[in-house]
Each structure stands twice: as C-alpha cells, then as structure tokens.
Amino acid sequence: MYFWGVSYPSEVLWIRNLEEKSVGRVSRFLTRGINRCLILQQVKRMNKSEFVAAVAEKSGLKKGDALKAVNAFIEVLIESLRKGLKISLLGFGTFSVVDKAERKGINPATKKPIIIKARKVAKFKPGAGLKL
C-alpha cells in the first residue's frame, strides 16, 4: 500500500490515495488546492503478512512455517529485552533497552503540568550492513 505525505503550513497529513477525497480531514485539506501543497515523499509500507510471505519466498519455506519463524523471532526478541539483554545481529543492528528518566510534561486537554513517569523503552541501532 502506498502512502503520500502531504504538507501544508503547520500540518502533515498521511493519505491513502490522492484520488480518495473522503479520507477524514483530507477532503477539507484537498479543497484548499493541491497546487498549494508539497508532496514530500512516497513511502511503501509492508505489514506482517506481506513480510511473512517475503520470508517464505526467500527461504523456500511454506507460509505457515515462515509465520512460525517470524513469530518465534518476535517472541524471543521481546522476552530478551524484558530481561534487559542486548541483542546484536551482526550486519543488521542491535536491539537494547534504555531507561528514560522521569520528566515534566503538559496534559494537552487541560494544559496542566504533569509528571511523566520513568520507563524503559526498546531501542534499535542499525549496523553497518543495514546502510541503504
């Protein structure tokens, strides 16, 4: 599925197809005149089922076996990160866990200051082999 990024002063919208004029705010946006908009880039996205199909084709596995392999990889990755382990895949990159400190924020609905709790987040650092 292709997505187009369209930019108008101070707002960025992602729309499915420029010909579909009924996608949420896009209809109002496109009536302002597409000639006043700037098309940023075309991005091709791959969902999980497309990824599984590509793995099956590349490896010669059946789609069911490829799905099991992809699911197993994701489960092992999540379990390892929850344990605090760093996962390095040579030529691809490194997955790790980073501690984010507590910080101040603003509740957008009430505009009152709030404290955002400390948390752990997953981080990915691309390896040298992943240069596009």
Side-chain angles (χ1 to χ4, degrees), residues 10-68:
S10 77
E11 66 181 329
V12 174
L13 300 174
W14 292 99
I15 59 176
R16 218 179 269 190
N17 185 342
L18 289 176
E19 294 160 1
E20 288 183 35
K21 293 185 173 69
S22 61
V23 184
R25 294 185 340 189
V26 176
S27 58
R28 181 171 49 91
F29 182 75
L30 289 177
T31 58
R32 297 179 186 167
I34 195 71
N35 57 345
R36 293 169 51 194
C37 302
L38 169 67
I39 297 175
L40 297 175
Q41 64 183 12
Q42 183 178 9
V43 180
K44 175 71 173 139
R45 296 187 181 184
M46 179 183 279
N47 63 26
K48 186 176 178 181
S49 61
E50 292 169 339
F51 181 71
V52 167
V55 169
E57 182 181 324
K58 198 77 145 169
S59 65
L61 296 172
K62 294 180 182 175
K63 282 188 181 179
D65 294 335
L67 177 63
K68 288 178 185 176

